[in-house]
Amino acid sequence: MSETLIVLGATSLIGRRLPEAAGSLRLAGVSRRSEPRPGYADWITADLTEGGFGRGLPEAERALILSPVWTAAAAVPSLAAKGVRRIVATSSTSRFTKAHSPDPAERAVAQALATGEARLREVCAERGVAWTILRPTLIYDEGLDGNVTRLARLIRKARVLPLAGGGRGLRQPVHAADLARGCLDALERNAARSKAYDLAGGETLTYREMAGRIFDALGLRRRIVPLPAWAWRAAFTLARPLLPGAGAQMGARMQDDLVFDDAEARRDLGWSPRPFRPDFRGF
């Protein structure tokens, strides 16, 4: 019989990519959405924030928590009651990059990530569950994510991209498929127990070059226009309907280096992500 792996947040970007990396594992997906994802043998519709979450969960020794890390601790008692003794949960490097943002909403996200991680560690220790926390950098999955794909939609529509100050800040985009593999590897590695890792993409490049690669993937000539901050803010106001969910701090961060050292993950997890070469064929 195949081992069952419980996956909370199965409709997330990483959760969508798990079936292709799971091999013989039997995936039991848990989500607030009732529509099962392809590749999941079992599907449980549940909300981690509501009572009775544990009803319907299968017996299992291991679980992935891909839902927001600030909800993770609440799930641990129910998972432990089903026999789970090993958990890998995802957080985000936004815990650090947004901690000192001038935007109160972004600071609140950073605080929620930090508090969620701490609470997860506490509850796992109380229940005798081994934990690992993975913090990806900028996640993308062509056609699905709200980062690279959102930028691709703007580029395809406008055929030109204004960048605040030239977009000199460094980025490390990481593909959801690589993260799915990384989560499964973390479950297998004893060296990863009781540790948190920053997971960066396979390449460090400027925001401008990242945007240029998106132009290339769309088959468009690179038309990138550096603008002073005041002009970029005006352009952003006009383009905002094409960037749902984007905030005004997006421009300011184009100049910031948002990079992380993933040497420990490469050592302990065998982390080896792909370089940034997005594929938007058919997009």
Side-chain angles (χ1 to χ4, degrees):
M1 292 182 63
S2 299
E3 179 190 357
T4 295
L5 174 65
I6 299 175
V7 183
L8 280 60
T11 55
S12 66
L13 290 174
I14 302 172
R16 288 168 177 263
R17 287 288 187 167
L18 270 176
E20 64 196 57
S24 63
L25 288 172
R26 180 183 179 90
L27 299 179
V30 182
S31 174
R32 289 179 297 178
R33 301 181 186 180
S34 58
E35 303 85 5
R37 292 294 309 165
Y40 283 82
D42 304 294
W43 194 261
I44 301 98
T45 303
D47 189 330
L48 305 189
T49 64
E50 297 178 354
F53 156 72
R55 291 195 295 270
L57 288 179
E59 297 285 334
E61 294 183 359
R62 302 190 293 177
L64 291 180
I65 303 182
L66 308 176
S67 48
V69 73
W70 51 80
T71 68
V76 173
S78 295
L79 292 171
K82 291 295 183 177
V84 170
R85 292 294 176 266
R86 182 78 175 92
I87 284 175
V88 170
T90 54
S91 182
S92 172
T93 53
S94 291
R95 170 186 170 173
F96 307 111
T97 59
K98 295 182 178 179
H100 303 291
S101 170
D103 185 339
E106 291 190 345
R107 293 198 304 273
V109 168
Q111 183 58 58
L113 290 168
T115 301
E117 288 185 19
R119 184 60 184 147
L120 175 62
R121 293 193 298 266
E122 292 170 2
V123 176
C124 282
E126 293 168 359
R127 300 282 174 162
V129 176
W131 59 269
T132 301
I133 294 171
L134 305 178
R135 304 187 190 107
T137 52
L138 186 152
I139 305 175
Y140 72 99
D141 195 344
E142 297 89 341
L144 297 173
D145 69 278
N147 298 308
V148 168
T149 296
R150 181 169 59 189
L151 201 55
R153 289 195 177 103
L154 174 61
I155 289 170
R156 187 176 62 178
K157 187 173 290 287
R159 295 297 200 270
V160 63
L161 183 68
L163 295 185
R168 291 186 296 270
L170 297 176
R171 296 294 185 273
Q172 297 168 311
V174 57
H175 201 283
D178 292 333
L179 291 169
R181 181 70 262 164
C183 287
L184 295 174
D185 287 340
L187 282 171
E188 299 289 345
R189 307 294 180 99
N190 287 330
R193 291 173 179 245
S194 303
K195 290 185 180 179
Y197 297 92
D198 299 328
L199 297 186
E203 194 170 3
T204 300
L205 64 170
T206 64
Y207 194 101
R208 181 186 181 109
E209 178 59 21
M210 182 180 77
R213 302 271 182 96
I214 298 172
F215 274 93
D216 298 345
L218 292 169
L220 298 173
R221 182 169 68 87
R222 295 189 182 193
R223 297 178 64 197
I224 299 171
V225 182
L227 295 176
W230 66 267
W232 187 90
R233 285 193 294 269
F236 174 77
T237 300
L238 295 174
R240 193 163 192 167
L242 303 177
L243 293 166
Q249 292 306 310
M250 176 181 176
R253 274 198 294 272
M254 288 179 186
Q255 298 298 93
D256 295 339
D257 292 342
L258 309 183
V259 295
F260 292 84
D261 184 356
D262 61 4
E264 289 191 359
R266 290 177 180 271
R267 181 195 66 209
D268 292 351
L269 310 180
W271 175 243
S272 182
R274 71 194 68 185
F276 183 65
R277 300 287 179 184
D279 183 355
F280 282 108
R281 288 173 295 183
F283 170 68

